Amino acid sequence: MSKKRKIISLAVWLGLILITLVGIFLTGGTESHETIREIMRDAVLHDKNRISLFGMEVNPAVISAFTVTGILLTAALIIRLFVIPKFKIIPSKFQLLLEQLVGFFTGLGKSNSPHRNGFLNVYIFSAGVYIFFGTLFELFGLQAVTTHGIPIALPAPLSDINAAIALGCMSYLIIMSGGIAANGIKGVGKTLKDFSLPISMSFRLFGALLSGLLVTELVYYYSGLSFVLPVVVAVLFTLLHALIQTYVLTMLTSLFYGEVSEIHKKNKKIKGVN
Amino acid sequence: MEIPLNIDWQQILLHVFNFIILTGGLYFLLYSPIKKFIDSREQYYKDLDSQANAKLETAEKLEQEAKAKIANTDNEIKENRTKAEAELDAYIERQKAEANAKAEKILSDARDRAQAEKRSVMESAEKEIIDITKAVAAKMLSSSTDEAYSQFLDIVERDERNDNS
């Protein structure tokens, strides 16, 4: 390509950007029926925009959760039917990715809870996959219609306090089950000692994902901020949150599970020793 | 009493329900088969490793046996060589003795033959001397001295010619 041709191409590209920008600001766009305050409040409380699910009015995150589960299970079924039967001793790239995924959570469980980790590995694998893909889910901006007939983009499932509480409490119950399985009633005592764990786990997850959601809502609310910035925001608050929160919750669960399931042997007193 | 932050027990249970479905599904569809495959491959490599170790042990054992055999063979070679050397020495001694015996026999035979020849020569010489003496005596008796002398000379010359021929 000659130098002159390059300059013309660049000028056309910049001209198209400029024309589009002018068009965006001149047309003004549709008026938002919600103020930013209402949007932020609804993102936290979900008291306004609710969706009907088999006659129940639920938060959009519930729909997101079921959608994510549906997508993940469909993908898992396809992988199970078409990919896993073709596994080889020397793995292909995709096989390697799947093995790394399972190997990562298995390794995390084994290293943090070496005494007992069979069920823990399954749980942290599932929770990790759910948090990671659930957080990425908001990037796709799937639409749903509220009970008031307003279309909204489905949020990440765990940006809802109810989902975060559910996962936090489940993690706590899993930790307790490990304590009971290993140490019986003493395991319950050991787990109850960390009674703040379900609250801290739930609110850490909720806070981290909600902060991303709020910043994203804020950025998308103003059309002036809708150029270039969403790419950075999406990467920072979605991809990084997805990775960090997946690692934090699975690591904490396996760490506490390992702690309560550790079998302590009684130190017998030796006779004759003062 | 209204729970703050719009916390709803029904929705929490819905999320739990959803997560249980996801966990079960992911376990049966992804986790379990992939884990099984990873374990089977680990076992495969462990088997390969144990087979390689077993082969290595066998090879080491064979090496030891071969070394022992080589050592035994060296000893056998030494023994055989010593034995062969001893046999060779004995053979040489035997041959020497036989050669000496043969040489002595040849010498004694030669000596006997020489004695016999000497004896026959002496006998023939004695016989000739006797014949000549008889002839001379006969001549001396039968004729004069000159004739006898010339006859004697003729006889001697004739005998010499006979001897030379």
Side-chain angles (χ1 to χ4, degrees):
Chain A
M1 193 185 274
S2 67
K3 198 177 177 182
K4 194 181 171 185
R5 213 176 154 81
K6 273 185 185 174
I7 291 167
I8 291 167
S9 303
L10 193 68
V12 169
W13 182 59
L14 288 173
L16 283 172
I17 290 172
L18 201 69
I19 290 164
T20 325
L21 264 177
V22 171
I24 289 164
F25 285 109
L26 286 178
T27 49
T30 53
E31 273 188 25
S32 177
H33 42 73
E34 284 178 307
T35 63
I36 183 68
R37 192 179 168 184
E38 283 172 336
I39 288 174
M40 298 291 234
R41 184 188 155 81
D42 193 56
V44 180
L45 297 176
H46 301 286
D47 55 353
K48 193 177 171 189
N49 289 328
R50 294 168 79 89
I51 296 171
S52 174
L53 177 74
F54 303 117
M56 294 180 281
E57 278 198 2
V58 293
N59 296 345
V62 175
I63 306 299
S64 299
F66 281 112
T67 312
V68 168
T69 299
I71 292 168
L72 285 176
L73 289 182
T74 310
L77 186 67
I78 290 167
I79 290 168
R80 178 70 188 89
L81 290 177
F82 300 109
V83 180
I84 292 175
K86 290 175 185 170
F87 270 12
K88 291 169 188 167
I89 294 287
I90 298 164
S92 63
K93 284 177 187 171
F94 188 57
Q95 183 187 337
L96 196 65
L97 181 78
L98 291 171
E99 285 181 14
Q100 283 295 316
L101 189 71
V102 173
F104 172 75
F105 290 110
T106 313
L108 192 71
K110 273 183 186 169
S111 60
N112 288 315
S113 176
H115 315 284
R116 179 182 287 273
N117 52 42
F119 181 62
L120 172 74
N121 292 342
V122 179
Y123 176 76
I124 60 171
F125 170 76
S126 177
V129 169
Y130 180 61
I131 297 168
F132 183 74
F133 287 103
T135 311
L136 289 187
F137 175 75
E138 71 176 5
L139 278 180
F140 296 100
L142 288 184
Q143 298 284 308
V145 181
T146 64
T147 46
H148 301 294
I150 304 163
I152 55 159
L154 288 174
L158 292 162
S159 63
D160 183 357
I161 183 78
N162 295 317
I165 287 173
L167 202 60
C169 290
M170 264 192 291
S171 298
Y172 187 70
L173 287 174
I174 296 294
I175 292 165
M176 193 184 272
S177 74
I180 293 167
N183 295 314
I185 200 77
K186 281 182 185 172
V188 181
K190 280 171 108 180
T191 319
L192 287 175
K193 197 173 67 185
D194 298 312
F195 62 90
S196 63
L197 204 59
I199 302 165
S200 69
M201 274 184 157
S202 305
F203 281 83
R204 180 184 295 111
L205 205 57
F206 174 61
L209 293 177
L210 186 73
S211 64
L213 181 77
L214 292 181
V215 175
T216 315
E217 290 284 359
L218 196 64
V219 167
Y220 283 108
Y221 187 77
Y222 299 105
S223 57
L225 294 173
S226 301
F227 303 96
V228 183
L229 198 60
V231 179
V232 182
V233 169
V235 171
L236 278 177
F237 291 98
T238 310
L239 275 175
L240 288 180
H241 270 157
L243 285 170
I244 294 165
Q245 291 312 315
T246 301
Y247 183 69
V248 168
L249 187 118
T250 52
M251 196 267 288
L252 282 177
T253 307
S254 53
L255 203 68
F256 281 109
Y257 190 96
E259 199 178 300
V260 299
S261 64
E262 193 178 359
I263 300 162
H264 292 283
K265 286 177 183 172
K266 284 181 183 175
N267 292 324
K268 288 179 182 175
K269 287 180 183 176
I270 302 164
K271 286 177 184 177
V273 178
N274 293 322
Chain B
M1 192 181 86
E2 195 180 329
I3 308 171
L5 285 170
N6 193 22
I7 294 170
D8 185 344
W9 293 112
Q10 189 191 38
Q11 290 193 48
I12 291 172
L13 286 175
L14 274 171
H15 281 290
V16 172
F17 169 72
N18 171 61
F19 189 74
I20 289 168
I21 292 171
L22 180 72
T23 306
L26 284 182
Y27 174 72
F28 287 113
L29 293 172
L30 270 189
Y31 185 85
S32 177
I34 293 173
K35 185 81 176 40
K36 263 183 199 164
F37 183 82
I38 292 171
D39 291 343
S40 70
R41 183 170 49 200
E42 200 179 322
Q43 191 57 44
Y44 170 75
Y45 281 117
K46 271 184 188 168
D47 289 347
L48 275 186
D49 193 44
S50 60
Q51 278 172 14
N53 283 335
K55 279 181 183 172
L56 193 70
E57 274 177 20
T58 316
E60 278 173 0
K61 208 180 276 177
L62 284 173
E63 192 188 0
Q64 296 287 341
E65 283 175 11
K67 276 181 183 171
K69 271 184 186 174
I70 288 167
N72 284 340
T73 313
D74 283 347
N75 288 336
E76 274 178 23
I77 288 168
K78 273 181 191 171
E79 280 174 12
N80 286 340
R81 185 180 288 164
T82 316
K83 207 172 168 182
E85 279 173 358
E87 277 178 7
L88 187 66
D89 288 344
Y91 179 75
I92 289 166
E93 288 299 319
R94 222 165 35 239
Q95 289 295 318
K96 268 185 188 173
E98 280 177 13
N100 283 336
K102 274 182 184 174
E104 275 179 14
K105 197 187 174 193
I106 289 165
L107 273 175
S108 69
D109 288 351
R111 225 175 268 139
D112 290 346
R113 271 201 308 273
Q115 287 289 337
E117 276 182 17
K118 189 183 171 185
R119 220 178 292 125
S120 71
V121 168
M122 288 294 284
E123 281 172 359
S124 67
E126 276 177 9
K127 197 179 174 186
E128 276 181 12
I129 290 165
I130 292 165
D131 288 343
I132 289 165
T133 311
K134 278 180 181 175
V136 169
K139 286 288 181 184
M140 282 172 74
L141 290 173
S142 65
S143 63
S144 64
T145 310
D146 292 335
E147 280 177 347
Y149 185 70
S150 60
Q151 279 177 354
F152 175 74
L153 287 172
D154 289 336
I155 292 163
V156 170
E157 277 177 5
R158 198 175 60 229
D159 285 344
E160 275 180 355
R161 247 182 271 128
N162 284 333
D163 286 341
N164 286 334
S165 64

